[in-house]
Amino acid sequence: SIEKGLSREYIRTLIFSNNEMKQKFEDIVTKSVIKTINRILKGYELSGKSAVFVAAPLLFEYDMQDDFDAVWLVVADETKRIARVAERDGLDAEMITKIIDSQLSDEEKSLLASDIIENNSTVDHLKDAVNVLLDKYKLGT
């Protein structure tokens, strides 16, 4: 699919077939994303928000986990992850596996996370797991 003049499929193929290109791309994008996140978080802090959630796929790969009060890691069996990404993004299993293999394993991430949410079941089960953590951190409504 083409978004704003870029072919996501072409870029994905290029990046995941060349480690040097992948690293350059991630460095550029990650630096930009970090700047944006920091700016947004500062705005929330100044407005008095008590909690802000940030979805950060490469948080551990860029050693940013200590920048947050808590890190909730969502994990799922690899077969479920592949099926979900294939359905969501229309990618084939080979490309999805390349992407997964380029990241730290769930086991490595689990050692760095403060909390782990297993997402192998239903959306309701996922909501229940999140609610447990919201209560743990006294963030419930």
Side-chain angles (χ1 to χ4, degrees):
S1 69
I2 295 179
E3 292 182 22
K4 297 185 181 184
L6 294 175
S7 168
R8 291 175 61 102
E9 184 177 335
Y10 173 75
I11 291 171
R12 190 181 296 117
T13 301
L14 181 67
I15 289 169
F16 286 100
S17 64
N18 181 325
N19 281 337
E20 184 180 337
M21 181 70 74
K22 178 182 173 292
Q23 188 62 51
K24 285 180 182 178
F25 179 81
E26 284 180 0
D27 287 345
I28 292 167
V29 171
T30 300
K31 285 177 185 172
S32 174
V33 169
I34 290 169
K35 278 184 179 178
T36 302
I37 288 172
N38 286 336
R39 182 177 44 78
I40 292 169
L41 289 176
K42 189 66 170 173
Y44 280 124
E45 183 180 354
L46 293 173
S47 72
K49 297 288 183 197
S50 60
V52 177
F53 291 84
V54 177
L58 296 175
L59 180 83
F60 301 110
E61 286 79 358
Y62 281 86
D63 197 29
M64 297 181 339
Q65 65 274 4
D66 294 336
D67 295 345
F68 299 89
D69 296 326
V71 175
W72 298 1
L73 174 66
V74 180
V75 298
D77 295 335
E78 189 167 313
T79 53
K80 280 201 183 302
R81 290 168 62 189
I82 291 170
R84 288 171 177 165
V85 173
E87 183 178 330
R88 183 191 69 207
D89 297 342
L91 301 177
D92 63 31
E94 182 181 347
M95 178 56 73
I96 297 167
T97 302
K98 281 183 181 181
I99 294 169
I100 290 171
D101 290 346
S102 75
Q103 301 169 347
L104 290 177
S105 70
D106 285 348
E107 291 76 22
E108 292 169 302
K109 292 177 187 178
S110 295
L111 297 172
L112 301 169
S114 49
D115 299 277
I116 300 166
I117 299 172
E118 290 192 16
N119 186 16
N120 289 312
S121 187
T122 64
V123 171
D124 286 337
H125 183 267
L126 178 62
K127 287 179 183 177
D128 289 343
V130 169
N131 283 328
V132 166
L133 290 181
L134 289 172
D135 288 344
K136 174 183 174 181
Y137 288 93
K138 298 178 179 23
L139 299 170
T141 54

